[in-house]
Amino acid sequence: MNIFIMILVAIFMVGFYMISSPSQRVTEQETEYAITRADLRSVAECAAAEHNAKIRGTTFTDVCTEQNNIKSEFICLNSNLRKTNCEIVRNKKPDYSYLITATNKIDDSNYNDMLEILETYFPDTGTFGIFLDGKIMSGGQSHARTVPDTIIKEMELENGQLVYLTQYEIPDTETEFAAPVQSDILCPTGTVKTYRFGRWQCIGYNTKTDCGGDMIWDSELLECVPDETKKPLCASQQTAVIVDNIWECVNPFPEKVCPNNMVAKLNYTTLEWECVANPSDTDTVKKCDTITQGAIYGALGSTVRIPSSSCTDCEIMLTDPETCVSVCVPDPSKVNSSKCYPGNPNECTGTSRAFYFGFPSYSYAANVSEIRGKRLVLDKSHSQNRRFNCLDCGDKEIDTEKSFPPYIAVCK
């Protein structure tokens, strides 16, 4: 009986040693250390991604921003380091303009690990670090960046938060000049009237000519000519000819005899000649056989390259029946299209959010009659992607007087 009890005690001692042995504890500690490092690195990468997206004027959508309570805000200060509006007032910019991104507090036991991560993966960002006693402690940096008290108060920063601070300059506003009243001038075809160097001038108009059917534009003859590369290979005793701007294979000597006011035409379905009405006997009035498209980019008189398809899925082409000039304008009905706005349109509502269209330039927006007389803002907070975008003003509100959704959106 005593021997049996001794065997059980021995087995119990061996199991206890195996479970609590140093090798097992080292493995568990190494695994926990790796998990902690991975979590801290993911927080730093998420904060950097959110910060960089704000700088580019885009939106970073990832669950990590909510999990770590990551928030970014533009804050401007005057010469007395007091908060002011981030806009140009009477041609005067704010003295200081900052973009600040902050995360949740980090446990003080992980400060050294986070500083090592910043030194390894973010060595060039001197203003990205842990907030401690009014300063940003960065990895691998011998000095700390002092944060103005106004920013600390506005962002409600606390010791232990991971903070990314960037100073930037607000871009200059577009200068508008009023042209003096002068006598009107008439410009010849192919030119456009514009005010340059203190007087009205006729300069070349950036246009591209689209020829219909199997025709191509000849820059020397300045007219549409048959495109020989599209000429078909016809059967024996047949010839390829242009009929209504389309190549067709016809037999120049048909056996079909047609009555007056009718001509023989080959039916490609039955491969037989048929008598049809002579199209030359009817007066067909056609407008805009040659369509020109306004230049999308470039100042008047410059040489530009225009793609074969100028309009995007978010735009419609409008053609002037008199001048035959076509332009691409935003289609407000495409706001609900995933190609034009990938997000949920119902979320871009309220007093702090509104839609706007990413116009590439002021000259491009001049073709949209709905916004004539309204001020268009083109800066880094407004994308020029020729799609519909949602402007989120955050704690601010949409300026209803300056905004005109879904074309223009401006924050107060």
Side-chain angles (χ1 to χ4, degrees):
M1 185 64 180
N2 293 336
I3 295 176
F4 179 72
I5 293 176
M6 293 179 64
I7 293 174
L8 290 179
V9 171
I11 294 174
F12 175 77
M13 293 294 291
V14 170
F16 177 78
Y17 176 79
M18 292 295 294
I19 293 175
S20 60
S21 63
S23 61
Q24 294 292 330
R25 291 197 300 270
V26 169
T27 302
E28 291 177 357
Q29 292 175 358
E30 290 180 351
T31 303
E32 292 176 357
Y33 175 75
I35 293 175
T36 302
R37 292 270 299 188
D39 291 340
L40 294 175
R41 180 180 174 183
S42 65
V43 173
E45 291 177 344
C46 186
E50 169 70 14
H51 192 81
N52 294 331
K54 287 290 185 181
I55 293 178
R56 299 188 183 97
T58 59
T59 303
F60 176 66
T61 56
D62 192 279
V63 69
C64 66
T65 57
E66 297 181 3
Q67 291 175 341
N68 301 287
N69 193 25
I70 297 177
K71 58 182 180 179
S72 297
E73 186 174 345
F74 290 96
I75 298 179
C76 297
L77 308 178
N78 57 18
S79 59
N80 297 326
L81 297 181
R82 293 183 179 179
K83 185 179 180 182
T84 183
N85 294 330
C86 291
E87 59 185 15
I88 300 176
V89 180
R90 291 190 290 274
N91 296 327
K92 179 176 175 57
K93 299 180 180 180
D95 294 279
Y96 304 98
S97 305
Y98 297 96
L99 171 62
I100 307 96
T101 302
T103 69
N104 274 335
K105 295 174 60 176
I106 301 172
D107 191 270
D108 54 1
S109 62
N110 296 326
Y111 285 179
N112 290 335
D113 291 337
M114 178 58 78
L115 292 176
E116 291 179 1
I117 291 173
L118 296 177
E119 182 180 2
T120 302
Y121 299 102
F122 305 94
D124 300 326
T125 54
T127 56
F128 188 22
I130 301 174
F131 180 78
L132 289 174
D133 298 330
K135 297 182 179 180
I136 297 178
M137 309 297 295
S138 302
Q141 300 287 335
S142 59
H143 61 279
R145 174 65 182 267
T146 302
V147 182
D149 294 338
T150 303
I151 295 179
I152 298 175
K153 181 179 179 181
E154 289 293 327
M155 294 292 293
E156 298 180 355
L157 299 180
E158 299 179 0
N159 288 345
Q161 286 184 274
L162 190 63
V163 176
Y164 201 159
L165 178 69
T166 297
Q167 188 172 359
Y168 71 99
E169 183 177 358
I170 296 179
D172 295 328
T173 56
E174 187 74 9
T175 304
E176 299 179 358
F177 298 97
V181 178
Q182 290 188 354
S183 58
D184 196 10
I185 60 174
L186 299 177
C187 294
T189 304
T191 62
V192 64
K193 180 179 69 173
T194 185
Y195 190 80
R196 300 177 65 192
F197 309 112
R199 62 187 179 89
W200 288 106
Q201 298 180 11
C202 296
I203 65 174
Y205 188 45
N206 299 327
T207 59
K208 172 194 173 184
T209 304
D210 292 335
C211 300
D214 295 331
M215 309 291 283
I216 190 173
W217 180 255
D218 191 318
S219 58
E220 296 181 357
L221 299 178
L222 298 180
E223 63 180 11
C224 292
V225 298
D227 187 356
E228 295 295 331
T229 61
K230 297 181 180 180
K231 188 175 182 178
L233 296 176
C234 300
S236 59
Q237 297 182 353
Q238 285 189 341
T239 304
V241 296
I242 287 289
V243 179
D244 293 334
N245 296 335
I246 301 294
W247 283 110
E248 290 189 8
C249 292
V250 299
N251 190 341
F253 306 104
E255 299 177 354
K256 189 77 172 179
V257 178
C258 297
N260 294 335
N261 300 327
M262 301 190 75
V263 294
K265 186 174 182 179
L266 182 63
N267 187 326
Y268 290 100
T269 303
T270 61
L271 296 180
E272 295 180 356
W273 288 93
E274 297 177 350
C275 291
V276 297
N278 189 352
S280 61
D281 294 340
T282 59
D283 296 332
T284 304
V285 179
K286 293 184 178 180
K287 277 192 175 183
C288 301
D289 288 335
T290 301
I291 298 176
T292 60
Q293 295 179 357
I296 303 306
Y297 301 102
L300 293 175
S302 63
T303 301
V304 298
R305 180 183 298 274
I306 300 179
S308 59
S309 178
S310 299
C311 297
T312 66
D313 294 335
C314 311
E315 301 167 327
I316 56 176
M317 180 179 289
L318 299 181
T319 304
D320 190 331
E322 299 300 329
T323 62
C324 298
V325 175
S326 297
V327 295
C328 298
V329 299
D331 186 358
S333 64
K334 295 296 183 65
V335 174
N336 295 323
S337 173
S338 59
K339 294 182 179 180
C340 302
Y341 180 69
N344 185 359
N346 296 327
E347 295 179 355
C348 191
T349 57
T351 59
S352 62
R353 296 182 182 180
F355 281 106
Y356 71 92
F357 188 80
F359 291 104
S361 64
Y362 291 100
S363 58
Y364 183 94
N367 298 318
V368 184
S369 59
E370 287 82 353
I371 63 173
R372 284 181 187 151
K374 300 184 182 298
R375 179 177 177 81
L376 177 66
V377 180
L378 294 181
D379 54 23
K380 66 178 182 180
S381 62
H382 291 77
S383 176
Q384 288 87 46
N385 56 5
R386 295 178 67 182
R387 298 172 61 182
F388 289 99
N389 305 270
C390 183
L391 179 65
D392 189 350
C393 298
D395 296 336
K396 302 179 182 179
E397 295 182 356
I398 293 292
D399 193 329
T400 56
E401 295 182 357
K402 298 181 181 180
S403 302
F404 188 66
Y407 302 104
I408 303 174
V410 181
C411 294
K412 284 188 177 181

